[in-house]
Amino acid sequence: MPGLVVRARPPWGPPLEVALFLRPFFSYILGTRFVSRVGWERDPGGQPLGVPQRAEKYGYTHLSAGELLRDERKNPDSQYGELIEKYIKEGKIVPVEITISLLKREMDQTMAASAQRNKFLIDGFPRNQDNLQGWNKTMDGKADVSFVLFFDCNNEICIERCLERGKSSGRSDDNRESLEKRIQTYLQSTKPIIDLYEEMGKVKKIDASKSVDEVFDEVVQIFDKEG
């Protein structure tokens, strides 16, 4: 599953050399499943759960597309709540315009509170070409993608980890048949997005098949370098 690192530019930004710093910057997290809860358990992709906390040390604000949608869905005053509920119940992907509007709202609110908080770590987005096209249409000229944090993991290892999780998760989709279908969806829809950013030289690849500590060490090295 993907994630993105981005910086956004306020419309009142200063000259170019300074505006490049104030413009919002985003980093995507792509590849295996990313979990953002505080703790040190491992997720099905083998990622330590301290990645958002590490990012925050460098001034990044962590945004989860999935969490924003779930929160909006539960908000009784939301203009999107009922529509999100309808799509989720029907097993459909929520329109990209809604997801992007929620991400942009959070970014705008964050920067309004502090102009220096213009770096964002976005996970669970973009998932497919439609997501990417919607993002480019809405955010073109308003934000720069700094890099893509790609957690790469062998399919079989991912399946085994999810099957192990299924022993206690109670999730009906933690079975081999469902997992193999999800991997095919990832290969068909999400991997091409990663390949596109790799051609642009923006992908930071991490071997998520390693241990939690080893994966986290690689993440630390990337953020130490990219800052």
Side-chain angles (χ1 to χ4, degrees):
M1 205 166 289
L4 170 76
V5 174
V6 190
R7 295 184 191 177
R9 178 200 292 269
W12 56 87
L16 181 60
E17 64 274 8
V18 181
L20 287 175
F21 178 72
L22 292 184
R23 183 173 179 157
F25 287 78
F26 304 79
S27 293
Y28 294 120
I29 303 175
L30 302 168
T32 53
R33 185 170 180 271
F34 182 82
V35 181
S36 57
R37 297 185 181 86
V38 177
W40 281 100
E41 307 84 7
R42 73 177 68 214
D43 78 342
Q47 301 170 50
L49 308 190
V51 174
Q53 289 70 39
R54 170 59 56 173
E56 288 169 5
K57 173 185 175 182
Y58 295 94
Y60 289 93
T61 298
H62 171 242
L63 300 177
S64 165
E67 287 181 7
L68 290 176
L69 286 170
R70 286 189 289 273
D71 289 345
E72 194 71 12
R73 176 189 183 189
K74 293 183 291 186
N75 181 2
D77 298 322
S78 170
Q79 61 176 314
Y80 301 124
E82 291 185 5
L83 186 60
I84 294 173
E85 176 75 15
K86 178 176 181 291
Y87 272 87
I88 291 177
K89 279 188 174 181
E90 294 177 356
K92 298 178 180 179
I93 296 176
V94 175
V96 64
E97 292 82 6
I98 293 178
T99 305
I100 292 176
S101 70
L102 297 179
L103 288 169
K104 187 175 183 301
R105 183 180 69 188
E106 290 297 314
M107 292 165 54
D108 288 344
Q109 291 177 351
T110 299
M111 290 188 295
S114 174
Q116 299 303 313
R117 295 194 63 185
N118 68 323
K119 299 194 294 183
F120 301 86
L121 184 69
I122 302 175
D123 75 73
F125 185 90
R127 293 177 180 268
N128 53 32
Q129 189 64 33
D130 181 55
N131 281 180
L132 182 60
Q133 289 175 350
W135 173 268
N136 291 337
K137 179 180 178 180
T138 304
M139 302 302 292
D140 184 41
K142 301 176 182 176
D144 294 325
V145 176
S146 298
F147 61 90
V148 172
L149 196 58
F150 174 32
F151 290 84
D152 190 23
C153 191
N154 176 278
N155 291 345
E156 190 58 33
I157 292 178
C158 286
I159 290 175
E160 290 302 323
R161 288 175 177 173
C162 286
L163 290 176
E164 183 64 28
R165 178 186 66 180
K167 294 178 180 179
S168 58
S169 70
R171 289 179 51 160
S172 60
D173 58 347
D174 277 343
N175 61 78
R176 181 169 290 274
E177 181 180 0
S178 296
L179 293 168
E180 289 177 347
K181 289 180 179 179
R182 284 156 58 189
I183 286 175
Q184 288 306 308
T185 298
Y186 159 76
L187 292 174
Q188 294 168 11
S189 300
T190 307
K191 188 59 168 65
I193 306 300
I194 299 172
D195 294 340
L196 177 63
Y197 278 107
E198 191 157 26
E199 291 175 3
M200 299 166 62
K202 292 182 177 290
V203 172
K204 308 297 180 183
K205 189 174 181 178
I206 295 173
D207 183 358
S209 66
K210 296 180 180 179
S211 69
V212 169
D213 289 340
E214 289 175 312
V215 171
F216 189 68
D217 285 344
E218 289 191 36
V219 172
V220 170
Q221 291 175 24
I222 290 174
F223 278 102
D224 281 342
K225 182 178 179 180
E226 300 294 331

